[in-house]
Amino acid sequence: MRKKREKLLVISSCISRTIGGISNTLYYLVNELAASSDLTILGYLFDEKIDNVNILMKQNRKFLIEEHFRRKVRIWLYSIFKNYSKYDKVLCAAWTEAIAIAFFQRKRPPYYVMVHGNELMGESYLKCRLRDYIINHSEKLFANSEYTKNVCNKKWPSKECAVIHPPIDVTVKKPDREKNDDKFTVITVSRLEKRKGIQYAVKAVARLSKKYPNLVYRIVGGGDYRDTLERLIASHQLEKNIVLVGRVSEGEKYQELANSDLFVMPSFKTENSVEGFGVSYLEANLMGIPVIGTYSGGIPDAVIDGKTGVLIGEKDVDALEKTIEKFINRELQFSSETCIDWAFEHSSKKVAEKYQKELMGI
């Protein structure tokens, strides 16, 4: 007898292929889960349509980050007048999305909460109490790394938590490398914010550029920290060695990675923010290049130290300088195939299979 397809409701205020972060994870996950369940989205889908999915709320306008909280509120208000008891299970992109189920549904179906790291930090007392209530009444948690799981275990020791890494798009074809003469190119692809540690990479390049004038550092991405980085680059007179590329398209991003020899993102933990995993390291690996990360947050889940990259301490310019130099001199060399294979372990299909096993027992 054929097994009945379960009705799954996914709640997310933003699902997108190109915006990045959690929205990107949800996009690839929903595409795969739709093949094995009757899937409905409560939330907003940007960029592209998803086949075989019912969307309860639609968003056709341009994505605006300042609208993020308003979208969540709209989901909560929408849920007051709806009955979700027909769904077998509910997957919430974050604990705040679960408010729609935990408080506005008299007969609520079992709900599962995805946990990413940042949302567990620096909250007010009332927000923590609200979060505790929602988490304690959930069926299970899905953490994006062992670090995030450990944080959950400390906060909610009786709550079951499974680790499932975020997916990446492994269907991307590696672009041909563009000629760059004899230059050694280091790259960072990231939002430009202090926590990403780009300032330490700039300082390391400042030291190395005196010995290796052919060293180039390309910083891809936009953000509020750009002005600070511009001043830092100017103070070291590194305009010929360091390029602030700015925001780029998905295709341009992978071309930048394909043109590079080494990816660097020395993130560090702050009071209110942490790298819960680090998809950017895997995207670099997908292009066959090794990475340098830190022993911070969930980064050790994304980087296999000594195989797909190297892990160093937070804010350690000396270690960063020495490690980059070893790559320049080929004292450190990693197999491109190993890097690519590790990236493929995070295909949306493989990640979705793990969710299917946890949610539906498939």
Side-chain angles (χ1 to χ4, degrees):
M1 186 176 178
R2 189 175 180 180
K3 189 176 180 181
K4 179 184 175 183
R5 285 166 63 94
E6 288 197 326
K7 293 182 177 180
L8 177 65
L9 177 66
V10 175
I11 306 179
S12 176
S13 58
C14 181
I15 299 175
S16 167
R17 187 180 67 85
T18 60
I19 293 172
I22 300 168
S23 63
N24 192 257
T25 294
L26 266 294
Y27 177 84
Y28 294 122
L29 186 57
V30 164
N31 263 288
E32 294 293 339
L33 291 176
S36 59
S37 63
D38 290 332
L39 196 145
T40 298
I41 294 173
L42 170 59
Y44 295 97
L45 174 65
F46 296 83
D47 302 326
E48 298 181 12
K49 294 181 180 180
I50 299 177
D51 295 331
N52 304 317
V53 170
N54 179 35
I55 304 174
L56 298 182
M57 302 181 76
K58 297 182 180 180
Q59 175 76 5
N60 297 318
R61 293 177 296 170
K62 184 178 179 181
F63 173 81
L64 296 173
I65 194 166
E66 59 267 24
E67 287 281 325
H68 185 60
F69 181 72
R70 293 180 188 177
R71 290 195 300 273
K72 288 181 183 290
V73 172
R74 292 190 194 108
I75 289 172
W76 302 339
L77 295 177
Y78 180 91
S79 300
I80 294 175
F81 308 103
K82 300 295 179 179
N83 180 5
Y84 300 144
S85 61
K86 67 178 181 180
Y87 298 103
D88 297 302
K89 285 158 188 175
V90 180
L91 178 63
C92 304
W95 73 265
T96 48
E97 320 286 29
I99 290 174
I101 296 294
F103 289 98
F104 300 132
Q105 294 293 302
R106 184 173 298 177
K107 292 183 179 179
R108 63 189 178 214
Y111 65 91
Y112 300 72
V113 179
M114 299 171 69
V115 191
H116 313 277
N118 270 343
E119 75 277 34
L120 304 181
M121 304 177 68
E123 304 288 13
S124 66
Y125 173 77
L126 288 177
K127 209 168 183 179
C128 286
R129 291 295 299 273
L130 177 63
R131 184 183 63 200
D132 289 347
Y133 177 87
I134 289 171
I135 295 297
N136 285 325
H137 285 80
S138 67
E139 283 292 309
K140 194 173 189 176
L141 304 179
F142 297 128
N144 61 349
S145 66
E146 288 294 336
Y147 163 81
T148 305
K149 179 181 178 179
N150 290 336
V151 174
C152 291
N153 287 341
K154 290 178 182 177
K155 290 180 178 292
W156 307 286
S158 62
K159 181 58 59 179
E160 187 178 0
C161 183
V163 175
I164 304 180
H165 294 162
I168 64 168
D169 183 8
V170 299
T171 65
V172 176
K173 184 180 178 181
K174 182 178 179 179
D176 292 333
R177 185 182 176 112
E178 296 173 348
K179 293 181 180 180
N180 59 354
D181 302 322
D182 61 343
K183 291 180 171 58
F184 185 92
T185 304
V186 177
I187 189 171
T188 296
V189 179
S190 167
R191 290 187 306 276
L192 303 188
E193 56 182 78
K194 186 175 182 179
R195 178 179 65 79
K196 297 296 183 177
I198 300 170
Q199 62 273 34
Y200 301 111
V202 170
K203 292 175 182 178
V205 170
R207 297 178 184 179
L208 289 165
S209 62
K210 298 171 184 177
K211 187 176 180 180
Y212 304 98
N214 63 336
L215 175 61
V216 174
Y217 181 28
R218 296 180 67 82
I219 303 170
V220 178
D224 296 338
Y225 204 57
R226 182 185 176 102
D227 290 345
T228 302
L229 292 173
E230 285 179 342
R231 289 193 295 271
L232 183 61
I233 292 167
S235 69
H236 288 285
Q237 298 180 332
L238 290 169
E239 290 86 348
K240 292 183 179 180
N241 297 90
I242 301 181
V243 181
L244 285 165
V245 178
R247 293 184 173 91
V248 298
S249 67
E250 284 292 291
E252 290 168 334
K253 176 182 73 175
Y254 284 110
Q255 184 66 69
E256 289 281 352
L257 288 169
N259 291 343
S260 302
D261 300 288
L262 176 65
F263 178 91
V264 172
M265 193 168 75
S267 299
F268 60 93
K269 183 179 178 182
T270 67
E271 184 179 352
N272 298 316
S273 188
V274 68
E275 202 75 51
F277 180 69
V279 166
S280 295
Y281 301 105
L282 294 177
E283 291 177 337
N285 284 158
L286 184 64
M287 296 296 103
I289 65 173
V291 302
I292 299 177
T294 56
Y295 292 103
S296 179
I299 295 174
D301 272 36
V303 180
I304 305 178
D305 191 22
K307 289 189 176 181
T308 66
V310 176
L311 294 174
I312 61 174
E314 293 183 350
K315 305 179 183 180
D316 193 339
V317 179
D318 290 339
L320 189 54
E321 176 193 359
K322 291 175 183 176
T323 306
I324 293 174
E325 186 170 24
K326 286 181 180 179
F327 277 106
I328 294 172
N329 292 329
R330 298 187 177 277
E331 294 175 49
L332 277 175
Q333 295 187 67
F334 295 142
S335 163
S336 293
E337 288 75 17
T338 299
C339 292
I340 294 169
D341 288 345
W342 174 238
F344 266 80
E345 286 299 311
H346 299 81
S347 69
S348 56
K349 183 176 182 180
K350 289 189 176 183
V351 171
E353 286 172 352
K354 294 176 182 178
Y355 274 98
Q356 288 167 345
K357 183 176 180 181
E358 295 288 346
L359 287 168
M360 308 164 196
I362 295 176

